[in-house]
Amino acid sequence: MNSGYAVPAVALVVIATVLVGAFGLRISRTTSDFYVASRTVGPRLNAAAISGEYLSAASFLGIAGLVLVQGPDMLWYPVGYTAGYLVLLIFVAAPLRRSGAYTLPDFAEARLASQAVRRLAGAFVVGVGWLYLLPQLQGAGLTLTVLTGAPDGLGGVIVAVVVVATVAAGGMRSITFVQAFQYWLKLTALLVPALFLVLAWQGDGAPTHAFEEPATFREQRVVRVDDSLDLKLDRPLTVTVEGTVDGRTHEDTELHLPAGTHHIDAGTRLTFAQGAPVPEVDRNSGAGLSPSQAETRGERPLYATYGLILATFLGTMGLPHVVVRFYTSPHGVAARRTTVAVLGLIGAFYLLPPVYGALGRLYAPELTLTSNADAAVLLLPDRMIGGLGGDLLGALVAGGAFAAFLSTASGLTMAVAGVLTQDVLPSRGVRHFRLGTVLAMAVPLAASVMVGGLPVADAVGLAFAVSASSFCPLLVLGIWWRRLTPPGAAAGMLVGGGSALVAVAATMAGFPGTGALHALLAWPALWSVPLAFLTMVLVSLATPGRVPAGTAAILARFHLPEELRAEVKA
């Protein structure tokens, strides 16, 4: 890719983000504007803003990479991401807005009248937010590295600086306009190149079934193996090797590999001839492509699929950057209309990443052998079209990718900074909110440098699992079950969310690597979500005397329309 076009495109996106944020700052005059945009954001603008911050690095880059490597089974990611809003619409959206709270800890305190539950909810908001911020910064680093060869962490630093400046300066009013603008930019950045890529594919005589026919190299290709891996060959393969294969070092040697499994050391360069079959990576060998290996599904594919479905369906309602946007709606009806619009907007967007994944299987199959499968979206315009047209389309895609990182990181930073300001820092003023913004970004930025190679969709899926295991039970039972008690809510979040968080940490650390225990830890939602619900219910039933005194009135506020509540008061 010609970085002479891509780098200016990224720079334009950054400048446009700052300018749109500055416009929001000009009309942000009150503290209410700063925190919740004075609760005056209409459904259409709010839906675009929610879609903009929700369509993250996992949506823009990660889904295509997973489809390329794992095949059509990975379509459960976009299905789950979209269906999560249907669950949110049915169970949570309107009552959550009517609660009058600003953050999830605010909701917990309003519903249960407990400072302890509030602090616990705040801790999980910060944990989920940081876990979700990590892949945004890593995706930005990957994008800039692919474009320019810059160090891995530079893209993350750029995103961190721009996001902190935008959020700290203008607050919610500012980032609402920024995120709405970035949704349409991201949609355009994927849609326009996709049209040209499909036309190029149709006229190229390439295979029509990307996953039903063996992948082959359409031209001679040099592949550098970043992390050691094992290759499974169904038939002998001739490849030129510079590096170490099966414990033997070779210097630009043509090597005939027999059928079977072969170990490739990190740093080895493999040159495949045109028409050579793409070897399969043995993902169950313990020599995986990433520290987490959470995308590995070969051992327990059905369990992994159900774990993914449950995490994405139920995790959306507990994502702090999504929930906080519903507090900007004027009333509960507007919150529901916003959710319906979001379903349409993100549903349209998610039609596009699988197209890039399927085309990547045909035109960039070597990415299945590296840790950079997420780069498929960035590489395809140059691979398929080339020349000036490929450079310009690649620049558009690169700009859209940076918009994805900036918009999601802005929403997450706003949500985490709000919790830090209200529950950690000594004051709740705007000045301390800006300090909270810096703290909200500093931790994941440092972690992104230390944790390398984690697939972005993988990391986001883990964040969804923690969210589903902690906040989904709190919201659903808190809104719909009057017998929920503070001890029950706290125990459920600790048991469900805590166990999911431990599973995520073990998975990111690469433990245990393979086996049934690995599947349980890599896809924890299937057991941690039921465990959280069960714990909340049982502990609440065991502590009936701890039901808050004003529960009936609070639930009435959640469920009665604003107009009816006003008539009752009158």
Side-chain angles (χ1 to χ4, degrees):
M1 182 185 296
N2 189 343
S3 60
Y5 295 98
V7 172
V10 171
L12 284 175
V13 169
V14 172
I15 293 171
T17 298
V18 174
L19 292 178
V20 174
F23 170 75
L25 175 61
R26 290 181 60 188
I27 62 175
S28 181
R29 297 182 175 89
T30 67
T31 301
S32 180
D33 276 339
F34 197 87
Y35 284 111
V36 289
S38 293
R39 305 186 193 275
T40 58
V41 183
R44 286 182 293 182
L45 177 59
N46 212 11
I50 290 173
S51 302
E53 69 179 352
Y54 187 67
L55 297 172
S56 64
S59 300
F60 202 94
L61 300 179
I63 290 175
L66 285 181
V67 169
L68 187 160
V69 175
Q70 301 281 335
D73 285 350
M74 293 297 98
L75 294 177
W76 277 114
Y77 272 94
V79 169
Y81 291 155
T82 306
Y85 278 93
L86 184 60
V87 179
L88 185 67
L89 171 65
I90 295 172
F91 293 107
V92 173
L96 187 63
R97 168 58 188 88
R98 295 186 188 116
S99 72
Y102 165 60
T103 62
L104 282 168
D106 285 344
F107 169 84
E109 183 181 20
R111 171 63 177 85
L112 297 166
S114 170
Q115 280 291 327
V117 176
R118 177 193 178 93
R119 286 192 292 270
L120 183 60
F124 274 103
V125 165
V126 173
V128 171
W130 281 345
L131 187 61
Y132 211 138
L133 271 168
L134 178 61
Q136 313 312 314
L137 301 176
Q138 289 187 325
L142 170 66
T143 300
L144 205 62
T145 299
V146 170
L147 296 178
T148 67
D152 290 342
L154 182 59
V157 171
I158 293 174
V159 167
V161 171
V162 174
V163 166
V164 168
T166 304
V167 173
M172 182 62 78
R173 178 73 73 179
S174 180
I175 68 170
T176 295
F177 292 106
V178 168
Q179 290 166 341
F181 157 74
Q182 287 171 336
Y183 167 77
W184 295 108
L185 174 60
K186 285 184 281 190
L187 182 64
T188 303
L190 276 192
L191 178 60
V192 173
L195 295 176
F196 285 95
L197 293 178
V198 169
L199 289 175
W201 165 64
Q202 287 288 329
D204 192 35
T208 57
H209 302 287
F211 299 100
E212 295 178 8
E213 303 175 13
T216 59
F217 291 97
R218 298 174 56 81
E219 58 187 24
Q220 180 175 301
R221 182 68 60 187
V222 178
V223 179
R224 186 182 187 277
V225 177
D226 296 320
D227 299 306
S228 62
L229 54 83
D230 290 337
L231 297 182
K232 293 195 301 184
L233 301 181
D234 295 330
R235 55 182 177 177
L237 175 67
T238 299
V239 61
T240 302
V241 178
E242 183 180 341
T244 304
V245 175
D246 293 331
R248 296 183 179 179
T249 302
H250 303 271
E251 292 289 342
D252 201 20
T253 304
E254 186 176 272
L255 193 62
H256 299 280
L257 300 176
T261 301
H262 301 274
H263 183 76
I264 315 296
D265 282 4
T268 300
R269 296 169 64 90
L270 305 175
T271 303
F272 295 90
Q274 180 180 359
V278 179
E280 180 184 354
V281 177
D282 185 357
R283 301 182 182 277
N284 300 321
S285 65
L289 296 178
S290 70
S292 75
Q293 296 186 347
E295 81 281 7
T296 303
R297 307 175 69 256
E299 295 179 316
R300 303 288 189 279
L302 188 61
Y303 174 85
T305 298
Y306 282 122
L308 169 65
I309 290 172
L310 196 63
T312 52
F313 276 37
L314 302 182
T316 301
M317 70 177 67
L319 296 178
H321 62 307
V322 170
V323 171
V324 74
R325 292 225 59 93
F326 284 96
Y327 301 130
T328 66
S329 295
H331 41 69
V333 173
R336 280 194 172 136
R337 290 174 179 169
T338 296
T339 310
V340 172
V342 170
L343 279 167
L345 292 177
I346 65 175
F349 180 91
Y350 278 134
L351 296 174
L352 299 173
V355 174
Y356 284 85
L359 292 175
R361 179 84 170 185
L362 299 175
Y363 292 90
E366 77 280 0
L367 294 179
T368 61
L369 308 178
T370 72
S371 57
N372 292 329
D374 294 328
V377 174
L378 303 170
L379 296 176
L380 280 175
D382 182 60
R383 292 283 178 89
M384 296 183 63
I385 297 175
L388 178 61
D391 290 338
L392 293 176
L393 292 175
L396 180 59
V397 170
F402 249 76
F405 312 140
L406 290 170
S407 59
T408 302
S410 296
L412 288 164
T413 302
M414 183 78 195
V416 174
V419 171
L420 291 176
T421 304
Q422 294 193 40
D423 297 304
V424 177
L425 297 177
S427 175
R428 298 187 178 187
V430 172
R431 179 180 300 177
H432 283 81
F433 175 84
R434 288 170 175 152
L435 175 60
T437 301
V438 175
L439 294 176
M441 181 58 73
V443 172
L445 181 60
S448 70
V449 176
M450 295 184 291
V451 182
L454 191 66
V456 292
D458 184 7
V460 167
L462 294 173
F464 269 76
V466 177
S467 172
S469 305
S470 52
F471 292 121
C472 172
L474 175 67
L475 288 168
V476 172
L477 295 178
I479 290 172
W480 297 98
W481 192 44
R482 66 177 60 247
R483 300 176 67 180
L484 181 67
T485 65
M493 281 194 292
L494 280 174
V495 173
S499 61
L501 199 58
V502 169
V504 166
T507 302
M508 293 176 67
F511 175 82
T514 59
L517 181 58
H518 163 71
L520 289 172
L521 296 178
W523 309 94
L526 207 55
W527 53 267
S528 59
V529 172
L531 185 61
F533 271 101
L534 182 63
T535 302
M536 278 195 189
V537 170
L538 292 179
V539 175
S540 294
L541 292 176
T543 55
R546 298 292 301 276
V547 175
T551 295
I554 292 172
L555 291 180
R557 186 174 73 187
F558 288 177
H559 295 287
L560 289 176
E562 286 80 359
E563 298 83 359
L564 184 57
R565 283 162 45 195
E567 292 177 5
V568 171
K569 288 180 181 179

